Amino acid sequence: MGGCHSYPSATKADSQALQPSDISSEKLGINNNNLEERPYLQQQFVCQQIPHTDMFALTALPPGVDKAEWLASNTVAFFKHINLFFSALSEFCTPSSCPTACGPDNTVYVWTDDHGKKLKCSAPLYFDYVMSYVQELLTDEDVFPTKAGSVFPAGFIFLVQKVFLLFFRTLAHIYWSHYRETLALGLHPHLNTLFAHLTLFCRQHALLEPEDTEPMQDLITALGQQS
């Protein structure tokens, strides 16, 4: 598979954010599931992304590159970025603060096990399932081959679509339940850049259905207007 991309670091000015003392009475780590407000849509925050990032260049299939190879290398890259980002917030995402894996509009994500049984579980357990599942796929040579001359399996695109749906849900939960912590840590320019990159990549390569992205469509539109 091809190499993985990375984002440039934000400057001090670009990563300017609320400090913990600026978060009024809202306690860090408390799930936002019952709140209707969406602070991530405030213009002062939505306008902040990592500068000098050409999203279209990052997402478009380069000339002469096999599409499956391009999807595979980007899947690896997104996994690394999202896993790292979620790890930075993991101390705030606990079974007590996040008893369900949730997103906007009362969306609750449930895990389906290998036997097709739906498991309603806490957010940290759900996303542990997500990362373990994706990592297992990425290290399976029969699914994500790394040796020259290997071919991708039939149905590869459907596996990639499932993986990107799980990535999308992970970021949706961060925005909905842990945005204040993201602000306090000064990570919102990185989160906005990562989310904008993910959604543009999915749109260009038809990886998500409109009903999948609907809960975050307001943010997708807002970030698109910043380009």
Side-chain angles (χ1 to χ4, degrees):
M1 292 183 291
C4 300
H5 52 259
S6 61
Y7 303 124
S9 298
T11 64
K12 183 176 180 180
D14 295 317
S15 61
Q16 192 174 30
L18 288 177
Q19 297 301 310
S21 58
D22 295 325
I23 310 180
S24 67
S25 61
E26 294 296 336
K27 184 178 179 181
L28 293 180
I30 297 300
N31 197 300
N32 189 43
N33 193 30
N34 294 320
L35 298 180
E36 294 184 0
E37 60 179 301
R38 303 186 184 200
Y40 51 79
L41 292 177
Q42 294 179 24
Q43 180 58 27
Q44 60 182 319
F45 302 135
V46 79
C47 68
Q48 296 200 34
Q49 297 185 40
I50 303 303
H52 314 304
T53 304
D54 186 341
M55 291 295 179
F56 287 96
L58 283 177
T59 57
L61 178 66
V65 175
D66 178 73
K67 183 170 183 178
E69 179 79 15
W70 184 240
L71 292 176
S73 63
N74 276 273
T75 302
V76 173
F78 277 114
F79 172 74
K80 291 180 177 179
H81 283 300
I82 293 171
N83 192 34
L84 181 63
F85 203 100
F86 193 78
S87 296
L89 297 168
S90 60
E91 66 179 291
F92 305 113
C93 189
T94 66
S96 58
S97 68
C98 301
T100 61
C102 58
D105 299 333
N106 296 316
T107 305
V108 175
Y109 306 126
V110 295
W111 184 255
T112 303
D113 67 14
D114 294 337
H115 305 290
K117 182 179 179 181
K118 294 185 181 298
L119 306 175
K120 187 176 180 179
C121 51
S122 67
L125 181 56
Y126 178 89
F127 295 112
D128 183 60
Y129 285 148
V130 167
M131 297 304 167
S132 297
Y133 169 78
V134 176
Q135 186 169 39
E136 185 175 342
L137 284 180
L138 295 180
T139 55
D140 187 341
E141 276 288 328
D142 292 330
V143 181
F144 281 81
T146 59
K147 298 176 182 178
S150 299
V151 296
F152 290 89
F156 177 72
I157 184 64
F158 299 110
L159 279 174
V160 171
Q161 288 172 332
K162 180 177 180 180
V163 168
F164 274 84
L165 176 60
L166 296 174
F167 287 162
F168 182 87
R169 290 177 174 180
T170 303
L171 296 184
H173 177 75
I174 291 174
Y175 271 109
W176 184 243
S177 297
H178 301 294
Y179 195 67
R180 287 183 176 82
E181 293 94 330
T182 302
L183 287 175
L185 294 172
L187 294 175
H188 54 297
H190 293 271
L191 180 59
N192 285 343
T193 304
L194 179 55
F195 185 74
H197 183 190
L198 178 85
T199 53
L200 179 59
F201 186 82
C202 289
R203 187 166 73 248
Q204 285 200 352
H205 301 287
L207 299 179
L208 294 176
E209 297 294 335
E211 56 265 30
D212 296 328
T213 59
E214 179 57 33
M216 298 293 291
Q217 189 56 51
D218 49 7
L219 180 61
I220 294 171
T221 300
L223 288 173
Q225 293 172 348
Q226 307 304 313
S227 303

